[in-house]
């Protein structure tokens, strides 16, 4: 069968790979759609320190069950599913604490291990999630949305609070939707007017384009005392610092992105504002369940989020276009042809 592989930085191509067969306790899934993730783009750019080459990318998965290994129960051939693409050790401190998303030895499909940008994958039974109520295409949006939902859970957002989301890529939009599900009022900030328009249609109360001037001043005009929560979903030095500047007294900051260079803070604000500052990594099974519930209740979200759908043959070209025009795409999905 064919697969997309990032063979080296700046080079993606279609190759032939063996068709996998499920062993005991495993499930074979025919892929219908797989989304390009920001980690795939950084791998393509040679900026992902976690990836080695060549690597088949892809962990945002929508598919149907093709076959079941012996001992698998509770699933049916032909059932629509997505996949929890994180593999944890089960022994480190995070795993023992019930937080496998932060496993010290985490391996994510498409990053530290081969991904799903191909016709069929095989995964353990406990990684397979049925998705009744969500259309097949939109199942590929569950994982990226869940990363934003997890950040919302880390922030412990409550109904009536105000939230600023810095960055309206896929992860930021997940944080927006997760905040709305908690009953918060959300201000979305981004450099791209197109992405801000998507955020507005998804429910952001206000949108702020960084090209329009001082973001801090624009936020202060809406929230004179600052927001209760800031979720940073960009991963730049400027937005890391900006989160501390704009959050209100006794506020919470959650970082999803990570800056590529060390960040120098004026730590006085940590104390004078008595801030809670937290990191957020990957997602939990419960976050996936929350996203499935949200997308079931808001079927229009997928049409707003998906920017383009391409074939596997066109996937290398689409990745190159995304690299050259990152602001033009919110989500690119690759449609996979089923095996005969």
């Amino acid at each position: 069968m064919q697969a997309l592989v990032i063979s080296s930085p700046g080079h993606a191509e279609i190759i032939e790979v063996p068709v996998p067969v499920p062993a005991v306790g495993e499930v074979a899934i025919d892929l219908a759609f797989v989304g390009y993730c920001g980690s795939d783009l950084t791998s393509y750019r040679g900026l992902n320190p976690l990836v080695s080459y060549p690597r088949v990318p892809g962990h945002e998965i929508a598919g149907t069950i093709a076959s079941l290994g012996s001992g698998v129960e509770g699933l049916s051939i032909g059932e629509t599913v997505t996949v929890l693409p994180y593999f944890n050790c089960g022994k480190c401190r995070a795993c023992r604490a019930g937080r496998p998303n932060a496993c010290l030895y985490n391996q994510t499909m498409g990053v530290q291990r081969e991904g799903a940008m191909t016709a069929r994958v095989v995964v353990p039974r406990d990684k397979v999630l049925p998705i009744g109520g969500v259309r097949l295409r939109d199942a590929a949006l569950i994982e990226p949305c869940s990363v934003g939902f997890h950040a919302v859970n880390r922030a412990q957002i409550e109904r009536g609070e105000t939230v600023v989301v810095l960055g309206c890529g896929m992860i930021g939009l997940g944080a927006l939707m997760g905040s709305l599900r908690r009953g918060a009022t959300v201000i979305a900030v981004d450099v791209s007017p197109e992405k801000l328009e998507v955020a507005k249609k998804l429910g952001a109360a206000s949108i702020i384009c960084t090209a329009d001037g001082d973001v801090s001043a624009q936020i202060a005009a809406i929230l004179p005392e600052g927001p209760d929560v800031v979720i940073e979903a960009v991963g730049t030095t400027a937005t890391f610092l900006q989160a501390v500047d704009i959050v209100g007294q006794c506020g919470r900051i959650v970082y999803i992105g990570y800056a590529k260079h060390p960040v120098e803070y004026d730590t006085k604000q940590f104390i004078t504002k008595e801030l809670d500052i937290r990191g957020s990594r990957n997602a939990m099974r419960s976050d996936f369940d929350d996203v499935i519930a949200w997308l079931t209740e808001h079927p229009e979200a997928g049409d707003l989020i998906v920017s383009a759908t391409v074939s596997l043959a066109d996937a290398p070209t689409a990745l190159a276009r995304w690299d050259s025009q990152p602001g033009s795409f919110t989500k690119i999905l690759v449609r996979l042809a089923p095996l005969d």
Side-chain angles (χ1 to χ4, degrees), residues 114-132:
E114 295 292 65
M117 202 69 75
T118 186
R120 181 175 291 175
V121 292
V122 166
V123 296
R125 165 64 181 91
D126 63 358
K127 301 296 181 183
V128 181
L129 284 70
I131 53 162

Side-chain angles (χ1 to χ4, degrees), residues 18-83:
V19 177
V21 177
V24 176
E26 293 183 332
V27 179
I29 299 171
D30 279 342
L31 284 308
F33 298 90
V34 177
Y36 270 135
C37 173
S39 64
D40 301 328
L41 182 58
T42 56
S43 295
Y44 181 75
R45 290 173 167 173
L47 300 175
N48 189 340
L50 302 177
V51 75
S52 58
Y53 302 95
R55 175 66 70 224
V56 175
H59 55 255
E60 302 175 359
I61 293 170
T64 56
I65 295 177
S67 60
L68 305 172
S70 62
V72 173
E73 298 180 350
L75 295 173
S76 303
I77 293 175
E79 191 170 7
T80 302
V81 297
T82 190
V83 171

Side-chain angles (χ1 to χ4, degrees), residues 2 27 67 100 116 130-131 140 170 176 183 227-228 260 296 315 319 337:
Q2 292 187 318
V27 179
S67 60
I131 53 162
M170 190 64 246
L176 162 65
D228 299 297
K260 307 307 182 289
T296 300
L319 185 56

Side-chain angles (χ1 to χ4, degrees), residues 264-277:
E264 294 187 7
Y265 286 96
D266 175 4
T267 57
K268 178 181 177 182
Q269 292 193 86
F270 295 4
I271 311 305
T272 58
K273 287 186 175 181
E274 197 174 52
L275 301 179
D276 289 336
I277 300 177

